[in-house]
Every structure is written in structure tokens, then in C-alpha cells.
Amino acid sequence: MAIAAGTKLGRYEIRSQLGAGGMGEVYRARDEKLNRDVAIKVLPAALSQDGDRLRRFEQEAQAAGALNHPNILAVYDVGTHDGAPYVVSELLEGYSLKERLGDGPLAQRKTIDYAVQVAHGLAAAHEKGIVHRDLKPDNLFVTKDDRIKILDFGLAKLVERVSEGAAQTDIATRKVQTDPGTVMGTVGYMSPEQVRGRAVDHRSDIFSFGAVLYEMLCGRRAFHGDSAVETLNAILKEEPPELTKTNPNIAPALERVIWHCLEKSPERRFQSATDVAFALESLTGVSSSGSTQATVIAAPSRTKNRERLLWIAVTALLFFTALAFAYFSRSQPTTHAVRLAFATPEKATLPGEITVSPDGLRVAFTANNAEGKRLLWVRSLDSLNAQPLPGTEGAKTPFWSPDSRFIGFFAGGKLNKIDASGGRPQTLCDAPEPGGAWNRDGVIIFSGGVSNGFFRISASGGSPTPATKLGPKEEAHRWPYFLPDGRHFVFLGDAQRTEDHHLRVGSLDSPDSQILLNAVSRVAYAAGYLLFVRQGTLVAQPFDANNLKLSGEPVTIAEHVADLGNDHEFDFSVSDNGVLAYQIGNPNSQLTWFDRTGKEIGTVGEPANYVHVALSPDERRAAVELLDADGRNGDVWLFDLSRGTPSRLTFDPQWDSSPLWSPDGTRILFCSNRSAGGQVNLYEKAANGAGEDHLLLQSDGAKYALGLSKDGQLILYDNFDLKTKEGIWILPLTGDRQPKPYLQTTDFDQAQGRLSPDGRWVAYSSNESGRWEIYVQSFPSSSDKHQISSGGGGWPLWRNDGKELFYISNDNKLMAVDIKAGNRLESGVPKALFPMHVNLSIISGYSLSYAVTADGQRFLINTLVEGNNPAPMTIVLNWTADLRR
């Protein structure tokens, strides 16, 4: 029975009925709280007694509610009325695609526009593991502003039984039975695997999408029979009539996209909706003959003559640059290397991470755009312009596919790939740390992070599997680079002590590897040379890639190569055909004061190679870690903030790092690898410099002090144990003084913990969700847990009264969150204060790049000196010519 107008369903007032069907009734209603019209779908009370149907209805609501995309119907709420469940969604005005196709086929350009929108919506759903399973024109809605909305996610399981003998006219909007092992979907749009009653995945939606796309172009179904059985047989055994025979104006390239969607075997179809969207987007400028249409630009007026002359000059420069590049890269080798400056994109800052395509024609790099978002950029070497790739926010350490078509990159704790010409990126798998390589057989190997060797995965996606195992003194494998045979690769075996770092060679055929030489650097191979950095200098050493043997001595290529501060990631790259790129860099930074608006209000000391900063409790001094000239070891220094004068606190020749003040300001805690075994242990020293350094904790693995309790009786510290994941531990400074774990698992990392001022909560970062986020958990028990961030982040700090928490977002913004803490904790919505220009890896590392005053009004930030004007990168054509000379 229909619900009468004026009836209240919770806060919603029914206005009128919009439609009814086997799966429920749909009403127009008014949301009185938010003052908006909505649509409500109600499952009839008589049917709600069917437990299976009720479960499936709830599943639909849960599936749709998990999605948030402009091309998917938004679900607002769920509830029950007189025992009948209902779902509240946005109210759409327009018509279904089925209604529109009743007027005949769509124009090619309109078809592509609609299809791209559908593909993007499907990609968003598939990324969350949701498969529609009933895509058809009835479930695609065209709004008044010409936007496509996908409806009824989850309805593939909410079905009625139909007879196999039903007429084709009846089955357009009806489904076949869905008992286990039987057919599920709408006849005419089902995939072959649905017809056979087999398990389906996202590729089934791609087949249905192809059938809809076909119908949009020709106005009739791709698979059509006089009965359901004949239609199902056509799906399994027949191909639809060729589109170009009935409509010669359809671009052949567009028809190829449809056939690729409609492959009978899922393995032969597009493997993701993202790939479909990219293929369609590349056709937006295609004419009926398949050629690209030219764009007509009006001639400039006389008032634009000066700009016109400028563009003529720029065009001329571009022409000669391209000519020079073409000559040096494609002609016979010259006797000299040619060096070109590669400038920063306009209104963008340039962190670096440059990588040259294997064919030597393009470079990819990361850079922050004018809004401060770090993106992946691509530039052809015969062009003056670099193009950012949308969808690559937070990108790190890009690497190319062997055919120079695709780029792999890391963002948000994921390994991704994207077409170098643009399109939507595809997520391949979780990846705890950056660093990867791609061979010609479509295998990608990537870093497994601390305590792990490399993992391997297919470039089309799947489940990663281990590729290498760590040696006895190693803590990670980093920066792989495939050799020409595509099976062997060189890489850095990372360790705690400098003397235990080695460049190694491994193979996809064995988890073992062999040592090549001692070095602390990323590594690459080209033209018979192994390239790596030694004490800031890029060198090349002859290397036999067939016999895996080094010979001769290293030859200097460039000095002072930039160290990006991310696990020995020096900024250089080389192509297969003689193009080298590198950036000269000085990681110097300036201790700079900012207010909450991001306004610079002062500096401390002179620019230097700082990597950590901590304010004393009275805010009169700052403890910093200052690296030595070659950036390999450091010491703790103290700054008098009123005078800006530094004084050295530690003098050991080894690495002293991560200083932390005691609550009374009399002691400095720090970590050092000065012990005989090279482990990173915890030490303390009087803040006035008197006396000796005192060892607090010595054990296997690396440890980094994070904070002391307000009474100074216990220390919170990061613990790196090669047998487990990164965890947060407690060291009591009284009693038995035995360390014990606070947060420690073997499944994911938990790090960067900070005790709240009242000692009842710990803020920390964890990658348990697949990317690093901020959490707060009760202390000393870990029973009450809250996720604070939602878009990624690291390095939390408390305000002195515990009422605000700060952290750094994945795009290097300083974030603030209101906190109400007592027996229970409540947190507000994170808000961005201002962008930070710091050299910080959110997903790893221990260096704290900012400090906050007690009132939360001022921030001392370790800001990169280069700011918006970093040193340009250098491109070298025919780089081996100088080696031969």
C-alpha cells in the first residue's frame, strides 16, 4: 500500500509517490532538518518479512552509502517505517538513459561524454571493491545539467525470478534468478560469466558497460533474441553486428574500445574501468576518420602585438631546443656531452625526484603546484612546458615502464600507475615505502619497507609476493633498477651502520642477492656503467651486466648531487640511450617562525643542514640535529632563541640524532649509533653540556625517543625491530627499567607517538589502513582508539593544554584538530592552517620538522632555503662522451 502524502518517516515528510516496482516504492520527500527534497525507496512491509530480501536490501544501502562520486547516486540515510526499511538518496531531475534511447541513438560526441562519466563512476566503485552487476540504460540517469548518475548499486542481488521463456520485451528491466550457482543480472546486458552463473568481478561491469555503449551509438541492443534463452546464447557465442557497417560516421577507434569491452573472456577485456575511461578520453578530439581535429585560434588584436612577439620568440627557442635535442639524441654520437638547464614549472616549486623515460624523450618529476599540492609532472625534452598529471596528488619517486608509456609512482601508501599522456591513475596494491622498477615482461618490484626485502607484482595488478630476502645485517632493500636482461636488478641493501650498506645485484629467479660494493646510495645502470653517489658525488663505474662484475675505477660525473632526504634517494636518473638528468642540491634549511596564518615572523640562526627541531619547555632554546658536510652523520646542537646563537652539545664522530627535551628542560634525550654493534640506542646528556653522555637503553634494532611523561618517569620511543613492524614502546626510568611494548604488531607499522600533556592519551601515526593516518589511543592501556585524520598524515604534536592536536598532511600542510579529552576523547574536523615547505617523508623517518609554542600560536619550522626557486635540474645529452674523453 502506498504511503500517503504528509506521512513522516523520521525527519522526512512524504510529498508524493514517484514510482513502484518489485523491489520497492519510491517517493519524493522533504528533509525538514536540512531543508531539501530527497528520494526515498521503501521496501514494502509484506516483503520485509522475507529475511533474504531484507538482507539484500540492506546490502544495497550499505554498498551505495560507501560511495561518494559525482557520477554515482548519493545515499544520505537509512531507516525503517512500520517495519519496512527505506533508503534516502538525492532527488534527481531528468530522465533515464533508457528513456533517452527511446528517441534513437546518441551523437558520437555525446556518447563519449556520457561513457567517460560512467567509466569514472565505475572506477570509483571498483576501487572500493563494489561491483554493480546490473549496469543497463535503466540504471543510468541523465540529470538536467547533463551529468550521468549510476543508480542501484547492489540491486544485482535484489532480484525476482523470471521464466526462461519470457518475451524479450518483458526482460528489458527484469532479472533472472540469483540462487547460488544460477544466473544473476539483466538479460541482454549480462557478461558471459554471469550467464554461466560463475563468480564475477569488476570486469563483468566492463562487459555490461560495452553493451550499453554499443546501444548508445546504434539505438539497439548489442545482444538481442526473441526469448531470454536466445539472448543468453548470443552473449555466449555471438558477436554484435559491426557498428561501422550501420553507421560509417562512427570512429573506428571508438568501435575498437567497444569490442575490447565486449570480449567473451574477462582476461581479454580492459582490466579496469580506469583504463576504459582513459581510452575514451583520448578520443574526445577524434573525427569520423579517426584523425585529430585542429583547434582554431583567433588572431590577436594590435594591443596584443607585444605578447605576440614574445610568443614568436618562445616558439623560436622551442624550435631550436627541439632541433638540438633531436640532433644529439638521434644522430651519430658526438664527441662532447651537452648540458641543458631544466627550469622549474611556472608557479610551482620543485622537490625533484626526476626520472628520464627509457627512450630518452621525456622526463617525469614531482613538483608542488601553485596551491602547494605535490603532483606528478611530465615534460618532453623538445618542449618548454611541463604538464601536471591530475589524480597524482602526493606522488613520490616515479619510475617508467620499459616502453616509456606509463609511469609508476607511490602515493598514500599505495603503488599506482598512470599513462604518461594523462588519464586516471590505477592503484595496484599497498606499498609501505616508495621505490620501484618495471621490467619488459610487465613485472614491477618495489620496496617492502623496514624489515622486508622487495615484493613483486604484475603491472596490471594482483597480489604482491616476496622477491628478495634480507641479509643478516640489512634492515631494508631500496631503489631497485632492472638490468637489460629484465631478470636481474641492482639495488641498495640498507643497514644501520654505514659500513654495512651495500649495492647488490638480485634476480627474479631467486630471493638471494650478491654484494657488488660498499655504498650508501640509490643506483642505476646504463651504457655499460653502474651509476651511484659517493659522498655527494655522482660517479659511473664500468659494469659487465652479463657477468655481473664491476671493473675499473669510478669516474666523476657531477658533484653535490641533491639528497632528497628519503632513505638515500639521490636525485639522478638515466635513460637507455644517453640522456642523464640530475639535480645539484644543498638540503640547507632555515629555522623559521610562522604564525597560524602562515606568515613568516622571524628566523633563527643561519641556513644549515638541519633535519630535526624541538623547543625547550620554557621556549627559550631549541635543540636541533645538524648534519655534517657530506650529510652522513650529525650532532645535536642547541640554539639560544633570543640571540640566535648555536652551541654544540654532542661530539661523537658517529651519528647523534632526534633530540628531545626533558619536561624540566635540564636534559636532552637523543639517539646514536655509536655503539660497537652499530645499533641505534637511546642516550641523554645534561642540557648545559656538563658531564658525559649517558646510555639509557641498548638493545637490538633502532630506537628513537618520542617523548617523556610529565613527571619524567617514562620514555615513549619508536622501536625498529627487523622481526616485527615498527612499534611504539615504553621505557620506565624507575623500578626495573625494562622496556615493554605499548603498540606493536606484525601486520602494520605504528610510529611517531606523542604523549598528551595529561599523560592519558597517545597521538601516533599508523599505516594499518594502507596509508599513514593519525590516531589517538588511551594510555597506558590501549583500549580506546580514535582516527583523527582522513586524508593521510604524520608527525602529531599536542598543544600544551591538550585541547588541540597538530600534524602534517600528505601534501605538506600543517593541520590542526580540536580535541576534548577526559574519560573519553572527542575530536573535531581537521583544518589546514598553511602549506609548509619542508623536506619530510610522511610515510617513514624520524626527523621532526616543526615545533609549536605552548599556546599553539607560533610554529618553528625547519623550512627549505630554496623556497620557490630551487636549483634547476641538469639534462645531459650523450653523457658517456665525457667518460670516453
Side-chain angles (χ1 to χ4, degrees), residues 3-14 30 32 81 86:
I3 300 176
T7 304
K8 292 289 188 68
L9 276 64
R11 72 183 199 221
Y12 310 101
E13 181 180 298
I14 298 296
R30 185 70 174 174
E32 296 179 335
H81 173 70
Y86 62 83

Side-chain angles (χ1 to χ4, degrees), residues 469-675:
K469 64 181 181 182
L470 298 178
K473 297 181 180 180
E474 293 180 321
E475 63 179 8
H477 286 167
R478 307 191 189 279
W479 314 123
Y481 196 98
F482 274 108
L483 296 176
D485 66 1
R487 304 299 297 174
H488 291 87
F489 48 89
V490 288
F491 63 95
L492 170 65
D494 202 355
Q496 293 183 13
R497 299 191 307 174
T498 300
E499 56 266 34
D500 293 329
H501 285 75
H502 294 98
L503 299 186
R504 309 179 71 97
V505 60
S507 170
L508 293 178
D509 302 317
S510 170
D512 299 317
S513 60
Q514 66 184 63
I515 294 174
L516 294 176
L517 77 159
N518 175 250
V520 187
S521 168
R522 71 182 306 167
V523 60
Y525 171 85
Y529 292 90
L530 211 61
L531 286 80
F532 57 95
V533 173
R534 175 167 287 171
Q535 296 184 343
T537 299
L538 179 61
V539 299
Q541 186 168 353
F543 180 69
D544 185 339
N546 294 320
N547 296 313
L548 308 178
K549 298 293 184 182
L550 285 161
S551 62
E553 294 296 324
V555 178
T556 296
I557 299 174
E559 296 181 343
H560 309 298
V561 174
D563 182 354
L564 300 177
N566 184 21
D567 299 315
H568 322 298
E569 184 190 6
F570 292 92
D571 202 10
F572 71 90
S573 176
V574 65
S575 75
D576 295 337
N577 62 350
V579 178
L580 170 70
Y582 62 87
Q583 185 172 24
I584 299 298
N586 189 337
N588 280 359
S589 54
Q590 174 73 65
L591 300 176
T592 308
W593 284 106
F594 293 87
D595 65 15
R596 287 181 71 96
T597 68
K599 178 183 178 182
E600 182 178 329
I601 54 178
T603 60
V604 177
E606 298 297 326
N609 198 352
Y610 308 113
V611 291
H612 185 95
V613 58
L615 275 177
S616 64
D618 62 9
E619 300 177 6
R620 295 180 179 180
R621 292 182 292 175
V624 301
E625 176 189 348
L626 179 60
L627 296 184
D628 56 20
D630 64 7
R632 300 178 71 177
N633 289 308
D635 279 290
V636 176
W637 290 65
L638 302 183
F639 270 95
D640 183 319
L641 296 179
S642 62
R643 297 183 296 168
T645 55
S647 60
R648 187 170 177 175
L649 184 71
T650 65
F651 295 85
D652 193 275
Q654 296 300 313
W655 178 60
D656 299 332
S657 172
S658 191
L660 178 72
W661 293 87
S662 64
D664 60 7
T666 63
R667 295 174 293 151
I668 299 291
L669 278 69
F670 62 95
C671 61
S672 177
N673 66 344
R674 63 181 67 176
S675 66

